[in-house]
Amino acid sequence: MTPRFTVGAQVNVRPGNPPGHIRTPFYIRGKCGTVERICGEFRNPEELAYGRSGEPKQVLYRVRFNQKDVWPDYRGPAKDTIDVELYEHWLEPAP
């Protein structure tokens, strides 16, 4: 599988709250970040949670977000970031 995004690409995390076992943290949905690294391909844990095969494998990315963009009331240094590992099906190109 060829990764859809490259290191340094700007991405948006899909918003929404679909039913089921979701690995993507609620606080990061709808936020914009930067791909920090491509972690590899793994079986989809959202399918594995239901005893399914988890296939096809999904590309997992580590995405970096500015903390002030994630939590508007954040009072720490402006350069603070948070990294979150997210599967490709949760990401969209940032406009």
Side-chain angles (χ1 to χ4, degrees), residues 17-29:
N17 194 22
H21 175 80
I22 304 301
R23 185 182 158 102
T24 301
F26 187 80
Y27 65 82
I28 212 71
R29 297 179 199 168

Side-chain angles (χ1 to χ4, degrees), residues 11 13 23-29 31-39 59-67 70-71 81-88 90-91:
V11 293
V13 182
R23 185 182 158 102
T24 301
F26 187 80
Y27 65 82
I28 212 71
R29 297 179 199 168
K31 305 298 183 186
C32 181
T34 303
V35 173
E36 189 271 336
R37 76 179 63 176
I38 299 169
C39 301
V59 177
L60 181 67
Y61 298 89
R62 184 169 296 163
V63 181
R64 183 163 291 161
F65 302 87
N66 291 320
Q67 291 217 31
V70 176
W71 294 285
T81 59
I82 181 171
D83 289 0
V84 180
E85 292 183 348
L86 300 162
Y87 281 91
E88 187 168 272
W90 274 94
L91 301 176

Side-chain angles (χ1 to χ4, degrees), residues 36-75:
E36 189 271 336
R37 76 179 63 176
I38 299 169
C39 301
E41 295 178 16
F42 300 92
R43 293 188 298 161
N44 185 345
E46 295 172 2
E47 296 293 322
L48 290 171
Y50 293 100
R52 300 178 191 131
S53 72
E55 301 287 342
K57 291 182 177 178
Q58 299 285 322
V59 177
L60 181 67
Y61 298 89
R62 184 169 296 163
V63 181
R64 183 163 291 161
F65 302 87
N66 291 320
Q67 291 217 31
K68 63 180 176 59
D69 295 336
V70 176
W71 294 285
D73 294 336
Y74 183 73
R75 296 179 188 212

